[in-house]
Amino acid sequence: MQLPDENIEYSYARLLAPLPEAWTPLAELQAKHLLSPERVEQMRPLMNAIRGKVASERELQNPPAKDLPLQAGFINLPQNTLDAYRRKGDASELGKVLRLAQRLRENTDRVVVLGIGGSYLGAKALFDALCHTFHNELPPKLRMGKPRVYFEGNNVDNDALTELLELLENTCVEPDLPEERWGVIVVSKSGGTLETAAAYRAVRAEMAKYYGPKSDWLRQLIIPVTGPKGKLRDLAHADGIADDDIPTIPDDVGGRYSVFTPVGLLPAATMGLDVRALLLGASAMTKRFLEEPFDRNPVLQLAAVNHLMTEELGKTGRVMAVWGKKLESIGFWYDQLLSESLGKNNRGATPITSVYTRDLHSRGQQHQEGTRDKLINNLVVRHPKHPPVLVGMADRNEDDLNQFSRKGYPDVLDAAFKGTNQAYADAARPTADIVLPGVTEHTVGQLLQMLMLATVVEGRLANINPYGQPGVEAYKKNMMALLKATPNLPKGEVADQMKGK
Ligand code: PA5
């Protein structure tokens, strides 16, 4: 059940240029770099029309070729997933995800999640935002049966992969002990992404070495998440993994829109998150998007003002300033969403994730006084999860902090937030706020769905297809061609290299 105060809010009040009473240098800057309230007002009919278009795309069976690719399945997915679970229970896709997550939780102490791009960033964002900051370091008792989680296959980093395998080899020596068992979730919608496939090959070989090539654990503790067809599914079948143990990514949901498919849900459930609350949050956001008028519709507002700032005021840098280090990966997830969805036809804003206050001591100077090409979207949390850490009274006051002894970390952060945005406003630097009441599965579910919907709406507004990522293919094609053109090392040399000669 959603409580009203659990709704996330979006406010763009500071983006609106105040009515100037007299000419001042600031008023001139505001007129140039902020939005006129009339311009936002004029957007209303267009926003309603675009909402209608995006909503109707959910039903299109055979869209014309010029509209392809069209992958609007993510819009209704959260509610559909919950409905199917209510109707079919364990036999539904969510039922399958929960069963497999439980298997991993009960039988392993470590899980490696392999995947890249949309098959990685959502799960990482959920892990960082919602799990304990030191989850992997916590003793098993405090983790309450939730395995440690590692992410790989999101790069081609020889040493990082080697060190992960080294860690597993050194910490897991007795496969009969559940606390020394580890498993794998391998995620690839296409089933053919080289980074993920190569990492899976190494990890699969390591597992076979650990459990024995014929061990049942291999079939039990490797969970592939993939599209209805492809090389990964074929390989899983060849390894004796049945379809019943392979959650499926629907065809009509694109990679970066797939966080509420098993791509995000299986890792989330494995790390002990409440996936139903995530889906409820996402579904509530879809409902707000479809039903609420512009004034109460964060998706339409966010899309409209982001569009105007980029297309009409030339703010081609879009900073997601996250006010909390646990939110950084949500920023990276949005980086991909924005880049791959709207970075097309020589257009599209460039996303930049900044963690405040950390990056006020690095990028802050540029944001305050550098090129005027940026819009800053703050992502701010109203209530921290834990009671405030007080500055406190100390015997030695050389640091002069006793004056703040009864102030807590949230007070300091609030002062930093207000002070920073005031400083930006005083220089006509545009900022807006996405406000989370707290960081919970329910609010993060709303947030991710809001950003996905707003990105699609923004694409439709700018006449850019938000689905597909044709530009990503160029590097993949070259990489494959180069790999094929380079001869394999002779066997002896491979062995020498592995020994570090
Ligand atoms: O958004 C996308 O579709 C991409 O970023 C993919 O998620 C990414 O390339 C990984 O693809 P796959 O899941 O097929 O391995």
Side-chain angles (χ1 to χ4, degrees), residues 116-119 187-191 193 254-256 336 340 469 476:
I116 194 166
S119 290
V187 189
S188 175
K189 183 177 174 195
S190 62
T193 301
R256 58 193 171 276
Q336 186 212 9
E340 289 195 352
Q469 59 287 333
K476 288 192 197 164

Side-chain angles (χ1 to χ4, degrees), residues 116 119 186-198 225-227 229-235 473 475-476 479-480:
I116 194 166
S119 290
V186 48
V187 189
S188 175
K189 183 177 174 195
S190 62
T193 301
L194 186 55
E195 287 91 334
T196 309
V225 176
T226 188
K229 285 194 192 107
K231 292 178 189 162
L232 177 57
R233 192 173 285 270
D234 294 346
L235 180 56
E473 295 311 311
Y475 103 88
K476 288 192 197 164
M479 173 169 70
M480 255 326 168

Side-chain angles (χ1 to χ4, degrees), residues 403-416:
Q403 56 179 324
F404 306 127
S405 64
R406 302 207 41 81
K407 296 230 161 19
Y409 252 51
D411 302 315
V412 179
L413 188 72
D414 192 49

